Amino acid sequence: MRNNRILFLILGLFFFAIGGLLLVTNLVADEPFHTSFLLMFALTVMCFCLSYLSPHFQQKDERMKLIREKGMFFSVIALMVYLIIFNLGLQIEFFTLAANELLHILTALIICTVFISFVVYSRIY
């Protein structure tokens, strides 16, 4: 159990370093802005959340099932809101995004929403 927390913490720091490196190279380069660094930061959030949740996930009780259920329900609602915002924003040309940029942003938002909602619900219940 303790090894899982340390492993997730080390992986989170590793992903944070890679994401920071991608962001710095993205800012230094004279090319258009890439959103690939968002995935590394999303993985960082995921690893840090799993580091916190590791002792909770070891238990297979009703509390953990409730946390997962509520977290996933909130994440589905948030995903619908994200999709509506992106759909409206693209249709009225509030912003223009390439398909891969949109997928990077949506994937990062989904990963962060799921695992942060797990942490929030673990604190509540």
Side-chain angles (χ1 to χ4, degrees), residues 45 48-50 52-53 56-57 63-64 66-72 74-75 111-125:
V45 169
F48 287 152
C49 289
L50 285 174
Y52 174 78
L53 292 169
H56 302 285
F57 279 167
R63 177 180 171 266
M64 203 57 234
L66 181 67
I67 290 170
R68 287 181 182 156
E69 181 181 321
K70 296 272 189 182
M72 290 305 293
F74 176 77
S75 298
I111 291 171
C112 290
T113 303
V114 167
F115 288 99
I116 290 174
S117 68
F118 284 167
V119 169
V120 168
Y121 282 116
S122 74
R123 301 280 294 180
I124 292 173
Y125 296 113

Side-chain angles (χ1 to χ4, degrees), residues 6-120:
I6 294 171
L7 178 66
F8 283 128
L9 188 62
I10 291 170
L11 283 173
L13 293 172
F14 176 71
F15 286 132
F16 184 75
I18 291 175
L21 182 65
L22 286 173
L23 180 61
V24 167
T25 56
N26 205 357
L27 293 174
V28 171
D30 291 333
E31 296 180 7
F33 197 70
H34 296 286
T35 56
S36 59
F37 70 93
L38 290 175
L39 296 175
M40 288 300 141
F41 286 128
L43 290 176
T44 300
V45 169
M46 181 185 75
C47 286
F48 287 152
C49 289
L50 285 174
S51 174
Y52 174 78
L53 292 169
S54 180
H56 302 285
F57 279 167
Q58 296 291 331
Q59 305 165 2
K60 304 287 186 195
D61 58 352
E62 288 295 320
R63 177 180 171 266
M64 203 57 234
K65 289 179 184 177
L66 181 67
I67 290 170
R68 287 181 182 156
E69 181 181 321
K70 296 272 189 182
M72 290 305 293
F73 179 75
F74 176 77
S75 298
V76 168
I77 300 297
L79 175 63
M80 293 301 161
V81 170
Y82 298 152
L83 291 174
I84 289 170
I85 290 171
F86 280 120
N87 194 7
L88 289 175
L90 289 171
Q91 283 184 358
I92 63 173
E93 295 179 0
F94 183 68
F95 49 81
T96 55
L97 294 171
N100 62 348
E101 292 173 340
L102 183 64
L103 287 175
H104 288 163
I105 293 170
L106 275 175
T107 304
L109 283 173
I110 291 168
I111 291 171
C112 290
T113 303
V114 167
F115 288 99
I116 290 174
S117 68
F118 284 167
V119 169
V120 168

